[in-house]
Amino acid sequence: MTLDEFNKIVASKGYVLFDFFATWCMPCKMQTSIIEELKNKKIDNLSIHKIDVDESEDVTDLNNIVSVPTLIMYKDGEVVKRYVGVAQLDKILDWMK
């Protein structure tokens, strides 16, 4: 993902969840299954995007990602939650309350 693409997505209305991951990261693989479960819920007003930290260094640097997995939730362009490590589905859903 380019920095321009990231900025356009962040500026959108509603909730945006970014999952910063690496292909070599075992906890990231655990987080992926949770993110897939979240996608299957088809929640209105939520878009989900995965960002490979090794392929999107500009976006990774902008968000000060130092560890993966890291989840960042935006609402209407503002960060509402940042979480490092594997976040369970109920925790992610709580961020939207």
Side-chain angles (χ1 to χ4, degrees), residues 20-32 67-69 86:
F20 289 86
F21 76 100
T23 57
W24 45 263
C25 167
M26 290 309 287
C28 296
K29 294 176 194 287
M30 293 169 38
Q31 187 68 71
T32 294
S67 188
V68 289
V86 178

Side-chain angles (χ1 to χ4, degrees), residues 31-65:
Q31 187 68 71
T32 294
S33 65
I34 295 166
I35 296 299
E36 288 303 315
E37 189 177 346
L38 181 62
K39 282 182 181 179
N40 289 337
K41 289 189 171 294
K42 297 181 179 23
I43 299 170
D44 289 337
N45 215 20
L46 172 66
S47 65
I48 300 170
H49 306 272
K50 294 182 70 64
I51 300 176
D52 185 329
V53 296
D54 294 324
E55 294 180 3
S56 301
E57 291 181 15
D58 289 346
V59 177
T60 299
D61 291 345
L62 175 70
N63 287 280
N64 300 313
I65 305 299

